Amino acid sequence: MKLTLRVWRQKNADADGAMSTYEVDGISPDMSFLEMLDTLNEELILHGEDPVAFDHDCREGICGACSLVINGDAHGPERTTTCQLHMRSFEDGDTIDIEPWRASAFPVIKDLVVDRSAFDRIIQAGGYITAPTGAAPEAHATPVPKPDADFAFEHAECIGCGACVAACPNGAAMLFTSAKINHLNVLPQGAPERETRVLDMVAQMDEEGFGGCTLTGECATACPKGIPLMSITGMNKEWLRATRKVSKR
Amino acid sequence: MARTVWDSTLGKKTVMAVSGLIMLLYLVVHMIGNLKIFFGAGEFDHYAHWLRTVGEPFMHYEWTLWLVRIVLVAAVVAHAVSAYQLSRRDIRARPSKYVHKRPRASYATRTMRWGGVILGLFIVWHILDLTTGTVHPGFRPGHPYQNVVDTFSTWYGNVIYIVAMLALGLHVRHGFWSAAQTLGAGSRTRDRALKTVADVLALLLTAGFIAVPVGVMTGVVS
């Protein structure tokens, strides 16, 4: 395959960026999107140019490191992570636009790499449980009803890649935050911090400068893990409940 | 407590949802009341006068009406202020656009903000036209039937009204469903029902309100 790539190049956080055009040849349809970018970078290095910086780690679709907005879609045309997107999803001779996640809470560090530490701070605000350390507890000590376990797992699938923020026209982190809150709030292990978790995580989300939800559904469409839009409804419900409960104290 | 609610994006959304539902409830009542125009000047004008005497003798003349007006103004102001502040925040959160453009979200969803502005301007015109009569040449207080017929005998009256009612339908369609999500009332099993209720409400309100100018234009109401 021969492709024309239009890639966002930006030297550093303070520099102005722009789209640069590159031609790549000899791309196999079986390559992943990141392997295609590796091919481009090898060529760039060979010509003494600066390779395109992009985030990646496990390349198995489970770590949430890879990003990229490909032809306007977070993680590209398939519902998966960029590392699991294959070049067979494109046609020979295509022009592909590659851009970084866009949100003021995710500033560009270089080229296609953005700073997603805002997500870490949301997690630090309440995305954890308090548990004694030591050996793993006996599995039957805390029974979890099957529907609750399924609900928790569906939300626990979130890998924190930030595609929801990238896809949202308001740069909102609602889907990410709601996935984390729903995951822990439904479980008995998460019950002690149920109220403070949702209040603190939502407050931190606002603090980071993410936008609000207008329920366009773009986040859930882009999510490589299929976190449902209803997750946000669940977070709203938890937030209202916690607000009522805390105000009574 | 009120401070933390108002400072939060979720709190502002809650204010929008509650105020929106209050206005929606009023619109349903208003639309049903409007349809009395098809039963002649006597019934319509009598209904309009009754609106001023509701609750008597417990309430004084027009007290109930003013109570409703105060609640509605509060709802409009709360809705508009939170919408403005949330929109400002949303635009700040996504300052740079993608180079590669693609169509996003449904028409109803994309037009919420400008549709809301259109509705706000419409409400001002509507009150000046049919409540105070300020912009209504030949306005006759106490004769709402004749005033309505006058308004819809002008081309601009019809255009402003019909455009606003179409905007209303789109606004209600996305707004009702969104309010349910904001208040945490949505669920996977209830989603279809909520979307259907939103569509039916939007359609009934738009059709019910537009029936009046159409009635005047076709001569059914004269």
Side-chain angles (χ1 to χ4, degrees), chain A residues 10-12 23 49 58 71 91 101 110 126 164 167 171 204 209 220 237:
Chain A
Q10 185 174 336
K11 219 172 174 59
N12 55 54
E23 305 277 337
E49 288 178 54
C58 75
N71 285 342
E91 301 285 331
W101 283 174
K110 184 176 167 49
C164 44
Q204 188 63 39
K237 199 173 174 177

Side-chain angles (χ1 to χ4, degrees), chain B residues 27-197:
Chain B
L27 284 176
V28 172
V29 175
H30 186 19
M31 191 269 286
I32 294 170
N34 281 6
L35 293 179
K36 293 188 177 55
I37 202 152
F38 291 101
F39 301 99
E43 180 158 348
F44 191 73
D45 288 355
H46 175 73
Y47 162 72
H49 182 73
W50 172 79
L51 289 177
R52 281 154 179 78
T53 60
V54 183
E56 283 184 11
F58 177 69
M59 298 296 257
H60 184 68
Y61 180 76
E62 281 196 348
W63 273 16
T64 314
L65 189 67
W66 275 104
L67 201 68
V68 171
R69 283 171 176 168
I70 289 164
V71 170
L72 282 175
V73 168
V76 170
V77 169
H79 202 74
V81 169
S82 22
Y84 174 77
Q85 294 190 354
L86 283 167
S87 299
R88 282 281 303 268
R89 184 188 176 86
D90 293 347
I91 294 163
R92 264 204 312 274
R94 170 59 86 69
S96 39
K97 304 276 166 257
Y98 289 110
V99 174
H100 189 105
K101 301 267 181 284
R102 65 172 190 78
R104 284 173 190 278
S106 74
Y107 191 72
T109 312
R110 277 184 285 128
T111 51
M112 286 307 273
R113 284 178 193 147
W114 283 111
V117 171
I118 290 174
L119 288 173
L121 293 173
F122 167 77
I123 293 169
V124 172
W125 174 79
H126 192 53
I127 291 170
L128 293 178
D129 180 43
L130 287 170
T131 306
T132 64
T134 318
V135 296
H136 189 124
F139 182 79
R140 291 173 64 199
H143 293 84
Y145 186 92
Q146 194 50 50
N147 292 333
V148 168
V149 172
D150 283 353
T151 287
F152 294 132
S153 302
T154 60
W155 66 267
Y156 58 86
N158 286 316
V159 170
I160 295 173
Y161 196 85
I162 291 171
V163 167
M165 290 309 106
L166 293 174
L168 174 72
L170 288 170
H171 205 78
V172 167
R173 185 171 188 241
H174 185 68
F176 177 79
W177 177 80
S178 293
Q181 309 310 319
T182 301
L183 297 175
S187 75
R188 216 164 297 183
T189 45
R190 227 179 284 159
D191 201 44
R192 268 183 84 106
L194 280 171
K195 281 196 166 126
T196 311
V197 171

Side-chain angles (χ1 to χ4, degrees), chain A:
Chain A
M1 292 171 86
K2 194 174 176 217
L3 298 163
T4 306
L5 305 175
R6 300 204 304 154
V7 186
W8 182 263
R9 300 304 306 263
Q10 185 174 336
K11 219 172 174 59
N12 55 54
D14 304 318
D16 286 331
M19 298 296 269
S20 294
T21 308
Y22 302 98
E23 305 277 337
V24 276
D25 204 352
I27 299 298
S28 151
D30 296 328
M31 278 182 179
S32 77
F33 201 85
L34 297 185
E35 285 168 331
M36 184 276 292
L37 285 178
D38 292 338
T39 310
L40 168 71
N41 277 346
E42 277 167 18
E43 251 175 69
L44 289 177
I45 294 165
L46 218 59
H47 290 92
E49 288 178 54
D50 198 16
V52 178
F54 60 90
D55 265 326
H56 61 102
D57 190 16
C58 75
R59 299 206 177 197
E60 290 183 320
I62 53 169
C63 77
C66 62
S67 53
L68 309 186
V69 169
I70 302 161
N71 285 342
D73 287 316
H75 290 303
E78 311 286 338
R79 192 172 189 170
T80 184
T81 53
T82 297
C83 63
Q84 295 298 299
L85 174 69
H86 290 89
M87 295 316 293
R88 52 181 166 270
S89 300
F90 300 90
E91 301 285 331
D92 188 29
D94 272 0
T95 299
I96 305 173
D97 289 337
I98 309 168
E99 298 171 73
W101 283 174
R102 290 283 185 211
S104 55
F106 284 169
V108 173
I109 297 171
K110 184 176 167 49
D111 296 338
L112 302 169
V113 178
V114 299
D115 179 2
R116 284 174 281 188
S117 55
F119 270 13
D120 299 337
R121 290 187 292 273
I122 294 176
I123 293 292
Q124 281 164 12
Y128 53 80
I129 60 160
T130 304
T133 53
E138 203 272 318
H140 288 299
T142 316
V144 179
K146 176 76 167 113
D148 290 354
D150 288 347
F151 181 86
F153 190 75
E154 186 179 17
H155 292 92
E157 277 193 78
C158 170
I159 52 175
C161 64
C164 44
V165 176
C168 178
N170 310 325
M174 296 277 171
L175 197 69
F176 166 78
T177 311
S178 68
K180 301 301 174 194
I181 289 167
N182 286 326
H183 161 209
L184 296 175
N185 271 20
V186 73
L187 296 171
Q189 288 85 348
E193 296 100 352
R194 186 172 169 185
E195 288 83 27
T196 52
R197 174 176 302 115
V198 59
L199 294 176
D200 293 347
M201 288 180 82
V202 167
Q204 188 63 39
M205 176 185 81
D206 285 348
E207 177 78 32
E208 296 293 343
F210 290 106
C213 181
T214 48
L215 290 145
T216 64
E218 294 287 348
C219 54
T221 310
C223 178
K225 295 295 158 182
I227 306 294
L229 185 59
M230 285 293 145
S231 185
I232 296 174
T233 312
M235 171 174 69
N236 293 338
K237 199 173 174 177
E238 284 293 314
W239 188 84
L240 289 170
R241 180 187 168 277
T243 305
R244 277 196 306 271
K245 264 199 113 149
V246 169
S247 68
K248 267 187 220 148
R249 266 177 212 160

